Short mmCIF file of all heavy atoms in Angstrom, two decimals:
data_model
loop_
_atom_site.label_atom_id
_atom_site.label_comp_id
_atom_site.label_asym_id
_atom_site.label_seq_id
_atom_site.Cartn_x
_atom_site.Cartn_y
_atom_site.Cartn_z
N GLN A 27 12.67 22.60 -0.15
CA GLN A 27 12.80 21.95 1.15
C GLN A 27 13.76 20.77 1.07
O GLN A 27 14.54 20.52 1.99
CB GLN A 27 11.44 21.49 1.65
CG GLN A 27 11.47 20.94 3.07
CD GLN A 27 11.92 21.97 4.09
OE1 GLN A 27 11.22 22.94 4.34
NE2 GLN A 27 13.10 21.77 4.68
N LYS A 28 13.72 20.02 -0.04
CA LYS A 28 14.65 18.91 -0.22
C LYS A 28 16.09 19.41 -0.27
O LYS A 28 17.00 18.77 0.27
CB LYS A 28 14.32 18.14 -1.49
CG LYS A 28 13.07 17.26 -1.40
CD LYS A 28 12.84 16.50 -2.70
CE LYS A 28 13.97 15.51 -2.97
NZ LYS A 28 13.73 14.73 -4.22
N ALA A 29 16.29 20.55 -0.92
CA ALA A 29 17.64 21.13 -0.99
C ALA A 29 18.13 21.54 0.39
O ALA A 29 19.28 21.32 0.75
CB ALA A 29 17.64 22.32 -1.94
N ILE A 30 17.24 22.16 1.18
CA ILE A 30 17.60 22.55 2.54
C ILE A 30 17.91 21.32 3.38
O ILE A 30 18.89 21.30 4.16
CB ILE A 30 16.47 23.39 3.17
CG1 ILE A 30 16.35 24.73 2.44
CG2 ILE A 30 16.73 23.61 4.67
CD1 ILE A 30 15.10 25.52 2.81
N ASP A 31 17.11 20.28 3.24
CA ASP A 31 17.34 19.03 3.97
C ASP A 31 18.69 18.43 3.60
O ASP A 31 19.40 17.89 4.46
CB ASP A 31 16.23 18.03 3.70
CG ASP A 31 14.88 18.47 4.27
OD1 ASP A 31 14.87 19.36 5.15
OD2 ASP A 31 13.85 17.93 3.84
N TYR A 32 19.03 18.54 2.31
CA TYR A 32 20.32 18.01 1.85
C TYR A 32 21.47 18.78 2.50
O TYR A 32 22.45 18.19 2.97
CB TYR A 32 20.41 18.11 0.33
CG TYR A 32 21.71 17.60 -0.24
CD1 TYR A 32 21.85 16.26 -0.62
CD2 TYR A 32 22.80 18.44 -0.40
CE1 TYR A 32 23.05 15.78 -1.14
CE2 TYR A 32 24.00 17.98 -0.92
CZ TYR A 32 24.12 16.65 -1.29
OH TYR A 32 25.32 16.17 -1.80
N ILE A 33 21.35 20.10 2.54
CA ILE A 33 22.38 20.93 3.18
C ILE A 33 22.54 20.52 4.64
O ILE A 33 23.67 20.33 5.13
CB ILE A 33 22.01 22.42 3.07
CG1 ILE A 33 22.14 22.91 1.63
CG2 ILE A 33 22.90 23.26 3.99
CD1 ILE A 33 21.61 24.32 1.41
N GLU A 34 21.43 20.39 5.35
CA GLU A 34 21.47 20.07 6.76
C GLU A 34 22.12 18.70 7.01
O GLU A 34 22.82 18.51 8.00
CB GLU A 34 20.05 20.08 7.35
CG GLU A 34 19.43 21.47 7.43
CD GLU A 34 20.12 22.36 8.45
OE1 GLU A 34 20.66 21.83 9.45
OE2 GLU A 34 20.12 23.59 8.26
N ALA A 35 21.91 17.77 6.10
CA ALA A 35 22.47 16.42 6.26
C ALA A 35 23.95 16.37 5.95
O ALA A 35 24.62 15.38 6.28
CB ALA A 35 21.73 15.44 5.36
N HIS A 36 24.49 17.43 5.35
CA HIS A 36 25.90 17.42 4.93
C HIS A 36 26.68 18.61 5.48
O HIS A 36 27.71 19.00 4.93
CB HIS A 36 25.99 17.42 3.39
CG HIS A 36 25.43 16.18 2.76
ND1 HIS A 36 24.09 16.00 2.53
CD2 HIS A 36 26.05 15.05 2.31
CE1 HIS A 36 23.89 14.83 1.96
NE2 HIS A 36 25.06 14.23 1.82
N LEU A 37 26.23 19.19 6.60
CA LEU A 37 26.91 20.35 7.15
C LEU A 37 28.32 20.07 7.62
O LEU A 37 29.14 20.99 7.73
CB LEU A 37 26.08 20.94 8.31
CG LEU A 37 24.86 21.77 7.91
CD1 LEU A 37 24.05 22.16 9.14
CD2 LEU A 37 25.27 23.02 7.14
N THR A 38 28.62 18.83 7.93
CA THR A 38 29.99 18.50 8.37
C THR A 38 30.83 17.93 7.22
O THR A 38 31.89 17.35 7.45
CB THR A 38 29.95 17.48 9.52
OG1 THR A 38 29.25 16.31 9.09
CG2 THR A 38 29.25 18.08 10.74
N GLU A 39 30.36 18.13 5.99
CA GLU A 39 31.08 17.66 4.81
C GLU A 39 31.20 18.81 3.81
O GLU A 39 30.45 19.78 3.88
CB GLU A 39 30.32 16.50 4.15
CG GLU A 39 29.98 15.35 5.07
CD GLU A 39 28.96 14.42 4.45
OE1 GLU A 39 28.81 14.45 3.20
OE2 GLU A 39 28.29 13.69 5.20
N PRO A 40 32.11 18.70 2.83
CA PRO A 40 32.11 19.69 1.73
C PRO A 40 30.78 19.59 0.99
O PRO A 40 30.29 18.50 0.70
CB PRO A 40 33.27 19.23 0.85
CG PRO A 40 34.16 18.43 1.76
CD PRO A 40 33.23 17.74 2.72
N ILE A 41 30.19 20.74 0.70
CA ILE A 41 28.87 20.76 0.05
C ILE A 41 29.01 21.26 -1.39
O ILE A 41 29.51 22.36 -1.63
CB ILE A 41 27.89 21.65 0.83
CG1 ILE A 41 27.64 21.05 2.22
CG2 ILE A 41 26.57 21.80 0.07
CD1 ILE A 41 26.71 21.87 3.09
N ASP A 42 28.57 20.44 -2.31
CA ASP A 42 28.59 20.77 -3.73
C ASP A 42 27.27 21.46 -4.08
O ASP A 42 26.20 20.87 -3.95
CB ASP A 42 28.76 19.49 -4.55
CG ASP A 42 28.80 19.74 -6.05
OD1 ASP A 42 28.68 20.91 -6.46
OD2 ASP A 42 28.95 18.77 -6.82
N TYR A 43 27.35 22.70 -4.56
CA TYR A 43 26.13 23.45 -4.86
C TYR A 43 25.33 22.82 -6.00
O TYR A 43 24.11 22.95 -6.05
CB TYR A 43 26.47 24.89 -5.22
CG TYR A 43 26.85 25.75 -4.03
CD1 TYR A 43 27.07 25.19 -2.77
CD2 TYR A 43 26.99 27.13 -4.15
CE1 TYR A 43 27.43 25.96 -1.69
CE2 TYR A 43 27.35 27.92 -3.07
CZ TYR A 43 27.57 27.33 -1.84
OH TYR A 43 27.92 28.10 -0.76
N GLU A 44 26.01 22.16 -6.92
CA GLU A 44 25.30 21.47 -7.99
C GLU A 44 24.43 20.36 -7.42
O GLU A 44 23.29 20.15 -7.84
CB GLU A 44 26.29 20.89 -9.01
CG GLU A 44 27.06 21.92 -9.82
CD GLU A 44 26.20 22.59 -10.89
OE1 GLU A 44 25.05 22.13 -11.09
OE2 GLU A 44 26.67 23.57 -11.50
N ALA A 45 24.97 19.65 -6.43
CA ALA A 45 24.20 18.57 -5.80
C ALA A 45 23.02 19.14 -5.01
O ALA A 45 21.94 18.55 -4.98
CB ALA A 45 25.11 17.76 -4.88
N VAL A 46 23.22 20.30 -4.38
CA VAL A 46 22.13 20.95 -3.65
C VAL A 46 21.02 21.35 -4.62
O VAL A 46 19.85 21.07 -4.41
CB VAL A 46 22.64 22.20 -2.89
CG1 VAL A 46 21.47 22.95 -2.27
CG2 VAL A 46 23.64 21.80 -1.81
N ALA A 47 21.42 22.01 -5.72
CA ALA A 47 20.43 22.47 -6.69
C ALA A 47 19.67 21.32 -7.32
O ALA A 47 18.48 21.45 -7.64
CB ALA A 47 21.12 23.30 -7.77
N ALA A 48 20.35 20.19 -7.49
CA ALA A 48 19.70 19.02 -8.10
C ALA A 48 18.50 18.55 -7.27
O ALA A 48 17.55 17.97 -7.81
CB ALA A 48 20.71 17.89 -8.27
N GLN A 49 18.54 18.80 -5.97
CA GLN A 49 17.42 18.41 -5.11
C GLN A 49 16.16 19.20 -5.44
O GLN A 49 15.04 18.75 -5.18
CB GLN A 49 17.78 18.62 -3.63
CG GLN A 49 19.09 18.00 -3.19
CD GLN A 49 19.12 16.50 -3.42
OE1 GLN A 49 18.21 15.77 -3.04
NE2 GLN A 49 20.19 16.04 -4.06
N SER A 50 16.35 20.39 -6.00
CA SER A 50 15.20 21.24 -6.34
C SER A 50 14.88 21.19 -7.82
O SER A 50 14.09 22.00 -8.32
CB SER A 50 15.49 22.70 -5.93
OG SER A 50 16.55 23.24 -6.71
N TYR A 51 15.54 20.28 -8.54
CA TYR A 51 15.29 20.07 -9.97
C TYR A 51 15.57 21.33 -10.79
O TYR A 51 14.84 21.67 -11.73
CB TYR A 51 13.83 19.63 -10.21
CG TYR A 51 13.34 18.61 -9.22
CD1 TYR A 51 12.42 18.95 -8.22
CD2 TYR A 51 13.81 17.29 -9.25
CE1 TYR A 51 11.98 18.02 -7.29
CE2 TYR A 51 13.37 16.35 -8.32
CZ TYR A 51 12.46 16.73 -7.34
OH TYR A 51 12.04 15.81 -6.42
N SER A 52 16.64 22.04 -10.43
CA SER A 52 16.97 23.26 -11.15
C SER A 52 18.48 23.40 -11.28
O SER A 52 19.24 22.66 -10.64
CB SER A 52 16.40 24.50 -10.44
OG SER A 52 16.98 24.66 -9.16
N SER A 53 18.91 24.36 -12.06
CA SER A 53 20.34 24.61 -12.21
C SER A 53 20.87 25.27 -10.95
O SER A 53 20.13 25.85 -10.16
CB SER A 53 20.59 25.53 -13.40
OG SER A 53 20.10 26.84 -13.14
N SER A 54 22.18 25.19 -10.78
CA SER A 54 22.81 25.79 -9.60
C SER A 54 22.58 27.30 -9.58
O SER A 54 22.27 27.89 -8.53
CB SER A 54 24.31 25.48 -9.58
OG SER A 54 24.94 26.10 -8.48
#
Side-chain angles (χ1 to χ4, degrees):
Q27 186 61 67
K28 286 182 64 179
I30 293 169
D31 292 343
Y32 180 90
I33 290 172
E34 291 292 330
H36 295 82
L37 282 174
T38 58
E39 307 166 20
I41 296 178
D42 181 359
Y43 285 10
E44 293 286 352
V46 173
Q49 309 302 310
S50 67
Y51 318 107
S52 64
S53 69
S54 178

